Amino acid sequence: MPRTQEPGRSWLLRLVIAFAFAQGAVSMARPAVSYRALSLGAEEPAIGVIAGVYALLPLFAAVPLGRRTDHGRCAPLLPIGVVLIAGGCALSGRADSLTAMAAWSGVMGLGHLCFVIGAQSIVARQSAPDEQDRNFGHFTIGASLGQLIGPIAAGYVISERDGAMARTSALALTVSAAVAAVSFVSLCRIEHRSAPTARRADPVNKVPVGRILRARGVPAGIFISLAVLSATDILTAYLPVVGEHRGIAPATIGLLLSLRAAATIACRLVMTPMLRVLGRTALLTATCLLAGMLCAGIALPVPVAALAVMLAALGFCLGVGQPLSMSTVVQAAPAEARSTALALRLTGNRLGQAGAPASAGLIAAVAGTAAPFVMLGALLLAAAGLGLRGGRAGNAEATPVVPAPRPRQCPVDRNRT
């Protein structure tokens, strides 16, 4: 398998670096958008709507982009995504109304979707089946690095002293646009030329969405991903609001969010031995169950030190769901529609990102700023139950794929996906 192993030390590393900068820009911009909205007089429901609009455009674009990627190259989506992320960040910093901020937040979300669909499809296409858990885990380290650095940078730049929040949050958004642009440096020669050429020679037969969703393991992977990403998203958007109500400084909130991201990185570095000991189903179920209880615990008025411990444990648990849901969906979906299946997973993510923050805003307005975290706890507990049932089905679907094609089949499968 020389064609699989040799580029694994180059294309995957460059993809992780590019993703770290792109995700870092988004992770810096999301809390900055919340603080800028607060400086413009927004209340909790308005912040929830702005966070939801981030997912609105991607919600309609995910499946068409996945269809296109199944029958063409993946790499062109990466620079398009970077341009949209940078533009959305920069223009959000210049917006002087909540409506404009919501619109540019949607552009930022569309750029993030383009980048992620292209990047995930490259990993799926260029990884052998028995390498997908590992490679998706390494790929998501890029996201965790961005989530680690972005909130710290936002907290360092943003200051609320002397009424400076409007100016400093705008500065943070401008800086995040520059961070996104840095990812262009690592986007060269990531995709193998041979794989898309082989795919273009095939007839363009679209697998029905219903068939993809009926594949065993796909619904469970989509819902677990939705729950985990909703938890991460609401933490990013609403922890600043909780900090405002509890008197926690923006810099401290940034450190807390970055601590959560650092724990996620630690989880993904040790994911392979955890899978070896527990197996995919038990690992997904246990981490979703524990994450649900920890999310609900954030609603309690605990000291900052206790909150830090809870967020670190929560970050470790949340680190499992995304990479394993990716590999579960890829291995369960039809081989000729894996990018579309990943796009459906991202559509589920965006549904969660669109609905969860808006619902959280309404819940916060009625029951207080900590109540959305109780909602997240219930969502993750439901994901744990579905993972216990659907995870076994996904493993049953994926198990025969791993050992059978090991000697010669892996390069062929890689070119077809």
Side-chain angles (χ1 to χ4, degrees), residues 5 29 83 86 89 95 97 101 133 139 170 219 222-223 236 297 307 329 340 355-356 374-375 399 404 410:
Q5 292 174 346
V83 169
C89 291
S97 71
M101 288 194 66
D133 281 338
F139 166 70
I222 289 174
F223 188 82
T236 303
L307 186 61
V329 167
T340 304
V374 178
M375 179 194 75
T399 299
C410 288

PDB file of all heavy atoms in Angstrom, residues 5 29 83 86 89 95 97 101 133 139 170 219 222-223 236 297 307 329 340 355-356 374-375 399 404 410:
ATOM      1  N   GLN A   5       0.384   4.908   2.231  1.00  0.00           N
ATOM      2  CA  GLN A   5       1.206   5.220   3.387  1.00  0.00           C
ATOM      3  C   GLN A   5       2.081   6.451   3.158  1.00  0.00           C
ATOM      4  O   GLN A   5       2.198   7.303   4.015  1.00  0.00           O
ATOM      5  CB  GLN A   5       2.081   4.015   3.733  1.00  0.00           C
ATOM      6  CG  GLN A   5       1.246   2.843   4.257  1.00  0.00           C
ATOM      7  CD  GLN A   5       2.079   1.613   4.472  1.00  0.00           C
ATOM      8  OE1 GLN A   5       3.216   1.539   3.998  1.00  0.00           O
ATOM      9  NE2 GLN A   5       1.538   0.635   5.156  1.00  0.00           N
ATOM     10  N   ALA A  29     -13.895  33.978  15.732  1.00  0.00           N
ATOM     11  CA  ALA A  29     -14.970  34.869  15.285  1.00  0.00           C
ATOM     12  C   ALA A  29     -16.277  34.612  16.022  1.00  0.00           C
ATOM     13  O   ALA A  29     -17.028  35.553  16.296  1.00  0.00           O
ATOM     14  CB  ALA A  29     -15.179  34.712  13.777  1.00  0.00           C
ATOM     15  N   VAL A  83     -11.863  31.738   1.431  1.00  0.00           N
ATOM     16  CA  VAL A  83     -12.264  33.083   1.009  1.00  0.00           C
ATOM     17  C   VAL A  83     -13.563  33.500   1.697  1.00  0.00           C
ATOM     18  O   VAL A  83     -13.702  34.628   2.190  1.00  0.00           O
ATOM     19  CB  VAL A  83     -12.402  33.146  -0.523  1.00  0.00           C
ATOM     20  CG1 VAL A  83     -13.076  34.435  -0.956  1.00  0.00           C
ATOM     21  CG2 VAL A  83     -11.035  33.026  -1.182  1.00  0.00           C
ATOM     22  N   ALA A  86     -12.941  34.131   5.523  1.00  0.00           N
ATOM     23  CA  ALA A  86     -12.251  35.404   5.745  1.00  0.00           C
ATOM     24  C   ALA A  86     -13.166  36.586   5.462  1.00  0.00           C
ATOM     25  O   ALA A  86     -13.210  37.558   6.228  1.00  0.00           O
ATOM     26  CB  ALA A  86     -10.992  35.479   4.883  1.00  0.00           C
ATOM     27  N   CYS A  89     -15.832  36.929   8.250  1.00  0.00           N
ATOM     28  CA  CYS A  89     -15.241  37.473   9.483  1.00  0.00           C
ATOM     29  C   CYS A  89     -15.010  38.977   9.358  1.00  0.00           C
ATOM     30  O   CYS A  89     -15.409  39.759  10.239  1.00  0.00           O
ATOM     31  CB  CYS A  89     -13.927  36.770   9.792  1.00  0.00           C
ATOM     32  SG  CYS A  89     -14.082  35.046  10.283  1.00  0.00           S
ATOM     33  N   ALA A  95     -19.883  45.403  10.343  1.00  0.00           N
ATOM     34  CA  ALA A  95     -21.337  45.541  10.394  1.00  0.00           C
ATOM     35  C   ALA A  95     -21.749  46.379  11.594  1.00  0.00           C
ATOM     36  O   ALA A  95     -21.162  46.269  12.676  1.00  0.00           O
ATOM     37  CB  ALA A  95     -21.981  44.164  10.461  1.00  0.00           C
ATOM     38  N   SER A  97     -25.218  46.640  12.385  1.00  0.00           N
ATOM     39  CA  SER A  97     -26.585  46.250  12.749  1.00  0.00           C
ATOM     40  C   SER A  97     -26.616  44.750  12.966  1.00  0.00           C
ATOM     41  O   SER A  97     -25.781  44.004  12.423  1.00  0.00           O
ATOM     42  CB  SER A  97     -27.579  46.644  11.652  1.00  0.00           C
ATOM     43  OG  SER A  97     -27.407  45.832  10.502  1.00  0.00           O
ATOM     44  N   MET A 101     -24.923  41.590  10.762  1.00  0.00           N
ATOM     45  CA  MET A 101     -24.069  40.606  11.423  1.00  0.00           C
ATOM     46  C   MET A 101     -24.576  39.196  11.168  1.00  0.00           C
ATOM     47  O   MET A 101     -23.792  38.266  10.928  1.00  0.00           O
ATOM     48  CB  MET A 101     -24.019  40.880  12.925  1.00  0.00           C
ATOM     49  CG  MET A 101     -23.213  42.102  13.298  1.00  0.00           C
ATOM     50  SD  MET A 101     -22.859  42.129  15.060  1.00  0.00           S
ATOM     51  CE  MET A 101     -21.799  40.711  15.187  1.00  0.00           C
ATOM     52  N   ASP A 133     -10.509   5.481  10.938  1.00  0.00           N
ATOM     53  CA  ASP A 133     -10.662   5.965  12.317  1.00  0.00           C
ATOM     54  C   ASP A 133      -9.459   6.815  12.721  1.00  0.00           C
ATOM     55  O   ASP A 133      -9.600   7.904  13.282  1.00  0.00           O
ATOM     56  CB  ASP A 133     -10.818   4.794  13.287  1.00  0.00           C
ATOM     57  CG  ASP A 133     -12.228   4.220  13.276  1.00  0.00           C
ATOM     58  OD1 ASP A 133     -13.159   4.933  12.874  1.00  0.00           O
ATOM     59  OD2 ASP A 133     -12.392   3.048  13.671  1.00  0.00           O
ATOM     60  N   PHE A 139      -7.263  14.199  11.547  1.00  0.00           N
ATOM     61  CA  PHE A 139      -7.833  15.344  10.848  1.00  0.00           C
ATOM     62  C   PHE A 139      -8.573  16.277  11.809  1.00  0.00           C
ATOM     63  O   PHE A 139      -8.423  17.499  11.748  1.00  0.00           O
ATOM     64  CB  PHE A 139      -8.783  14.837   9.759  1.00  0.00           C
ATOM     65  CG  PHE A 139      -9.682  15.892   9.177  1.00  0.00           C
ATOM     66  CD1 PHE A 139      -9.181  16.897   8.366  1.00  0.00           C
ATOM     67  CD2 PHE A 139     -11.046  15.890   9.453  1.00  0.00           C
ATOM     68  CE1 PHE A 139     -10.014  17.873   7.834  1.00  0.00           C
ATOM     69  CE2 PHE A 139     -11.882  16.851   8.920  1.00  0.00           C
ATOM     70  CZ  PHE A 139     -11.365  17.849   8.114  1.00  0.00           C
ATOM     71  N   ALA A 170     -14.781  44.124  17.065  1.00  0.00           N
ATOM     72  CA  ALA A 170     -14.565  44.327  15.637  1.00  0.00           C
ATOM     73  C   ALA A 170     -13.124  44.010  15.255  1.00  0.00           C
ATOM     74  O   ALA A 170     -12.852  43.409  14.205  1.00  0.00           O
ATOM     75  CB  ALA A 170     -14.922  45.765  15.253  1.00  0.00           C
ATOM     76  N   PRO A 219     -27.801   6.744  10.215  1.00  0.00           N
ATOM     77  CA  PRO A 219     -28.594   7.626  11.097  1.00  0.00           C
ATOM     78  C   PRO A 219     -27.959   7.845  12.461  1.00  0.00           C
ATOM     79  O   PRO A 219     -27.964   8.958  12.985  1.00  0.00           O
ATOM     80  CB  PRO A 219     -29.939   6.887  11.202  1.00  0.00           C
ATOM     81  CG  PRO A 219     -30.009   6.028   9.988  1.00  0.00           C
ATOM     82  CD  PRO A 219     -28.599   5.610   9.730  1.00  0.00           C
ATOM     83  N   ILE A 222     -25.085  10.282  12.118  1.00  0.00           N
ATOM     84  CA  ILE A 222     -25.550  11.653  11.893  1.00  0.00           C
ATOM     85  C   ILE A 222     -26.049  12.275  13.189  1.00  0.00           C
ATOM     86  O   ILE A 222     -25.720  13.422  13.520  1.00  0.00           O
ATOM     87  CB  ILE A 222     -26.651  11.664  10.807  1.00  0.00           C
ATOM     88  CG1 ILE A 222     -26.036  11.366   9.432  1.00  0.00           C
ATOM     89  CG2 ILE A 222     -27.362  13.010  10.773  1.00  0.00           C
ATOM     90  CD1 ILE A 222     -27.059  11.219   8.327  1.00  0.00           C
ATOM     91  N   PHE A 223     -26.853  11.530  13.959  1.00  0.00           N
ATOM     92  CA  PHE A 223     -27.417  12.111  15.182  1.00  0.00           C
ATOM     93  C   PHE A 223     -26.352  12.349  16.242  1.00  0.00           C
ATOM     94  O   PHE A 223     -26.365  13.379  16.928  1.00  0.00           O
ATOM     95  CB  PHE A 223     -28.516  11.207  15.744  1.00  0.00           C
ATOM     96  CG  PHE A 223     -29.258  11.835  16.895  1.00  0.00           C
ATOM     97  CD1 PHE A 223     -30.286  12.729  16.659  1.00  0.00           C
ATOM     98  CD2 PHE A 223     -28.907  11.561  18.216  1.00  0.00           C
ATOM     99  CE1 PHE A 223     -30.962  13.325  17.719  1.00  0.00           C
ATOM    100  CE2 PHE A 223     -29.565  12.151  19.270  1.00  0.00           C
ATOM    101  CZ  PHE A 223     -30.608  13.041  19.019  1.00  0.00           C
ATOM    102  N   THR A 236     -19.585  27.499  22.746  1.00  0.00           N
ATOM    103  CA  THR A 236     -18.856  28.637  22.203  1.00  0.00           C
ATOM    104  C   THR A 236     -19.699  29.902  22.202  1.00  0.00           C
ATOM    105  O   THR A 236     -19.219  30.993  22.526  1.00  0.00           O
ATOM    106  CB  THR A 236     -18.388  28.323  20.764  1.00  0.00           C
ATOM    107  OG1 THR A 236     -17.588  27.142  20.781  1.00  0.00           O
ATOM    108  CG2 THR A 236     -17.570  29.468  20.193  1.00  0.00           C
ATOM    109  N   GLY A 297     -24.438  19.806  34.231  1.00  0.00           N
ATOM    110  CA  GLY A 297     -23.779  20.348  35.415  1.00  0.00           C
ATOM    111  C   GLY A 297     -23.312  21.781  35.259  1.00  0.00           C
ATOM    112  O   GLY A 297     -23.160  22.503  36.250  1.00  0.00           O
ATOM    113  N   LEU A 307     -15.744  24.849  37.266  1.00  0.00           N
ATOM    114  CA  LEU A 307     -16.195  24.952  35.883  1.00  0.00           C
ATOM    115  C   LEU A 307     -15.087  24.529  34.922  1.00  0.00           C
ATOM    116  O   LEU A 307     -15.338  23.871  33.900  1.00  0.00           O
ATOM    117  CB  LEU A 307     -16.643  26.383  35.597  1.00  0.00           C
ATOM    118  CG  LEU A 307     -17.286  26.665  34.240  1.00  0.00           C
ATOM    119  CD1 LEU A 307     -18.560  25.841  34.066  1.00  0.00           C
ATOM    120  CD2 LEU A 307     -17.588  28.143  34.092  1.00  0.00           C
ATOM    121  N   VAL A 329     -20.100   6.799   9.248  1.00  0.00           N
ATOM    122  CA  VAL A 329     -20.916   7.158   8.093  1.00  0.00           C
ATOM    123  C   VAL A 329     -20.228   6.735   6.794  1.00  0.00           C
ATOM    124  O   VAL A 329     -20.864   6.187   5.880  1.00  0.00           O
ATOM    125  CB  VAL A 329     -21.209   8.674   8.101  1.00  0.00           C
ATOM    126  CG1 VAL A 329     -21.778   9.132   6.769  1.00  0.00           C
ATOM    127  CG2 VAL A 329     -22.179   9.018   9.229  1.00  0.00           C
ATOM    128  N   THR A 340     -21.513  12.387  -0.460  1.00  0.00           N
ATOM    129  CA  THR A 340     -22.887  12.791  -0.198  1.00  0.00           C
ATOM    130  C   THR A 340     -23.301  12.392   1.214  1.00  0.00           C
ATOM    131  O   THR A 340     -24.001  13.139   1.902  1.00  0.00           O
ATOM    132  CB  THR A 340     -23.842  12.158  -1.228  1.00  0.00           C
ATOM    133  OG1 THR A 340     -23.410  12.522  -2.541  1.00  0.00           O
ATOM    134  CG2 THR A 340     -25.264  12.645  -1.028  1.00  0.00           C
ATOM    135  N   GLY A 355     -30.969  25.049  14.724  1.00  0.00           N
ATOM    136  CA  GLY A 355     -32.064  24.930  15.678  1.00  0.00           C
ATOM    137  C   GLY A 355     -31.637  25.051  17.127  1.00  0.00           C
ATOM    138  O   GLY A 355     -32.349  25.664  17.937  1.00  0.00           O
ATOM    139  N   ALA A 356     -30.483  24.473  17.462  1.00  0.00           N
ATOM    140  CA  ALA A 356     -30.083  24.448  18.866  1.00  0.00           C
ATOM    141  C   ALA A 356     -29.827  25.841  19.443  1.00  0.00           C
ATOM    142  O   ALA A 356     -30.333  26.157  20.523  1.00  0.00           O
ATOM    143  CB  ALA A 356     -28.854  23.547  19.045  1.00  0.00           C
ATOM    144  N   VAL A 374     -28.752  22.436  30.130  1.00  0.00           N
ATOM    145  CA  VAL A 374     -29.589  21.292  30.493  1.00  0.00           C
ATOM    146  C   VAL A 374     -30.170  20.659  29.232  1.00  0.00           C
ATOM    147  O   VAL A 374     -30.236  19.430  29.103  1.00  0.00           O
ATOM    148  CB  VAL A 374     -30.700  21.739  31.460  1.00  0.00           C
ATOM    149  CG1 VAL A 374     -31.616  20.568  31.804  1.00  0.00           C
ATOM    150  CG2 VAL A 374     -30.102  22.332  32.734  1.00  0.00           C
ATOM    151  N   MET A 375     -30.592  21.505  28.280  1.00  0.00           N
ATOM    152  CA  MET A 375     -31.090  20.997  27.000  1.00  0.00           C
ATOM    153  C   MET A 375     -30.007  20.181  26.284  1.00  0.00           C
ATOM    154  O   MET A 375     -30.281  19.108  25.728  1.00  0.00           O
ATOM    155  CB  MET A 375     -31.535  22.165  26.121  1.00  0.00           C
ATOM    156  CG  MET A 375     -32.052  21.760  24.749  1.00  0.00           C
ATOM    157  SD  MET A 375     -32.197  23.151  23.599  1.00  0.00           S
ATOM    158  CE  MET A 375     -30.463  23.424  23.174  1.00  0.00           C
ATOM    159  N   THR A 399     -17.438  -4.000   9.898  1.00  0.00           N
ATOM    160  CA  THR A 399     -16.453  -4.988  10.283  1.00  0.00           C
ATOM    161  C   THR A 399     -15.902  -5.798   9.120  1.00  0.00           C
ATOM    162  O   THR A 399     -14.700  -5.938   8.978  1.00  0.00           O
ATOM    163  CB  THR A 399     -17.054  -5.928  11.357  1.00  0.00           C
ATOM    164  OG1 THR A 399     -17.383  -5.132  12.484  1.00  0.00           O
ATOM    165  CG2 THR A 399     -16.066  -6.997  11.753  1.00  0.00           C
ATOM    166  N   ALA A 404     -10.799  -7.619   4.966  1.00  0.00           N
ATOM    167  CA  ALA A 404     -10.820  -8.329   3.700  1.00  0.00           C
ATOM    168  C   ALA A 404      -9.909  -7.743   2.636  1.00  0.00           C
ATOM    169  O   ALA A 404      -9.173  -8.456   1.997  1.00  0.00           O
ATOM    170  CB  ALA A 404     -12.262  -8.416   3.180  1.00  0.00           C
ATOM    171  N   CYS A 410      -7.055  -2.067  -1.088  1.00  0.00           N
ATOM    172  CA  CYS A 410      -7.133  -0.712  -0.527  1.00  0.00           C
ATOM    173  C   CYS A 410      -6.904   0.386  -1.550  1.00  0.00           C
ATOM    174  O   CYS A 410      -7.672   1.345  -1.609  1.00  0.00           O
ATOM    175  CB  CYS A 410      -6.153  -0.552   0.625  1.00  0.00           C
ATOM    176  SG  CYS A 410      -6.672  -1.454   2.097  1.00  0.00           S
TER     177      CYS A 410
END
